[in-house]
Amino acid sequence: MNMIFLGPPGAGKGTLAAMASKSMGVPHISTGDLFRAAIKNETELGKKVKDILAEGRLVPDDLTVALVRERLSLADAAVGWILDGFPRTIGQAEALEAIAAVNLVVNFDVPDEKILFRLTGRRVCKACGKVYHVVTMPSKAEGVCDACGGELYVRPDDREEAIKTRLSAYREQTAPLIDWYGGRGSLATIDGSGTPEAVYREFARIAGV
Ligand code: ADP
Ligand code: ZN
């Protein structure tokens, strides 16, 4: 099954995609993670997008589409996939339509106050990428990853200024995709404000898994 997880930053798409990927045996493809890996490895792409990510702006469509096209051509994507954070513009959705068919678009609905709370409290492991929250999902030892002992950090785009930019990019450029996919009959909206387990149950029901 080919799926898209759509929703504002902080909606929990990444957390849910990791859970669904494990249970369904399809790869979790996060464009944000791919960009962050490119930045960490100091590739040509990484150099181009570093400042864009830190400020919370969207990477231009041509770079993003090329990255996704390449990732979807790898062997593991033949069984299906979960795209997390792509498409984020109508242009990207049109480009994806020419690459592959999408079976299900899951739209995560979360109120704004909750989004701010989630993003400002988010901590991420520098080494393995595991995500924590200082209040709702704290690590056992402060600043240290439970899974690998790596150092936890605040993503540069989880600073208040960048969060504002991300939310307005979402409203202006990504939210129109809800109607775009709605008109194509492949959209299901779920309440993303509960615990990961509660959101997963709703996801499993609509995805029929
Ligand atoms: P979040 O959903 O929490 O904002 P992501 O990890 O999905 O975080 O994305 C982080 C950043 O990566 C975005 O703010 C943007 O700069 C860039 N990015 C990720 N996906 C896309 C995309 N499809 N189009 C353009 N930029 C993207
Ligand atoms: Zn870790």
Side-chain angles (χ1 to χ4, degrees):
M1 180 148 60
N2 296 341
M3 289 181 288
I4 291 172
F5 283 9
L6 190 67
K13 305 183 296 288
T15 303
L16 249 284
M19 293 165 82
S21 159
K22 215 170 161 190
S23 68
M24 300 175 76
V26 296
H28 166 200
I29 301 173
S30 155
T31 41
D33 287 349
L34 293 173
F35 285 132
R36 280 184 290 275
I39 292 169
K40 194 172 170 187
N41 298 328
E42 298 178 352
T43 66
E44 280 311 306
L45 174 67
K47 285 175 201 155
K48 279 187 205 156
V49 304
K50 186 172 185 203
D51 293 343
I52 299 178
L53 262 81
E55 288 163 24
R57 291 182 287 124
L58 291 186
V59 174
D61 282 355
D62 56 342
L63 292 178
T64 309
V65 169
L67 179 78
V68 170
R69 187 190 300 279
E70 198 185 310
R71 181 61 187 85
L72 292 182
S73 74
L74 301 185
D76 68 337
V79 297
W81 31 260
I82 300 169
L83 277 174
D84 158 18
F86 181 93
R88 261 178 156 94
T89 65
I90 301 274
Q92 292 177 11
E94 285 168 350
L96 178 62
E97 207 171 33
I99 299 173
V102 173
N103 308 113
L104 177 66
V105 180
V106 184
N107 175 40
F108 291 76
D109 194 26
V110 180
D112 277 6
E113 316 82 68
K114 195 121 199 176
I115 287 170
L116 277 179
F117 171 80
R118 284 180 176 177
L119 294 177
T120 52
R122 176 157 69 182
R123 299 291 181 273
V124 185
C125 175
K126 243 179 192 157
C128 76
K130 193 170 157 59
V131 180
Y132 297 86
H133 188 281
V134 290
V135 177
T136 58
M137 255 193 278
S139 55
K140 292 197 183 86
E142 199 186 318
V144 183
C145 177
D146 294 346
C148 79
E151 184 192 338
L152 303 188
Y153 79 116
V154 178
R155 265 170 48 174
D157 59 343
D158 282 343
R159 287 169 301 108
E160 203 170 325
E161 269 313 297
I163 290 176
K164 280 188 197 142
T165 307
R166 285 158 66 202
L167 287 175
S168 60
Y170 171 75
R171 284 191 201 105
E172 286 158 28
Q173 294 174 271
T174 309
L177 287 174
I178 298 172
D179 282 345
W180 199 85
Y181 281 116
R184 282 164 174 72
S186 45
L187 187 88
T189 293
I190 65 177
D191 177 5
S193 61
T195 61
E197 291 70 28
V199 181
Y200 187 81
R201 276 194 297 276
E202 205 179 335
F203 162 75
R205 189 175 55 77
I206 59 143
V209 295

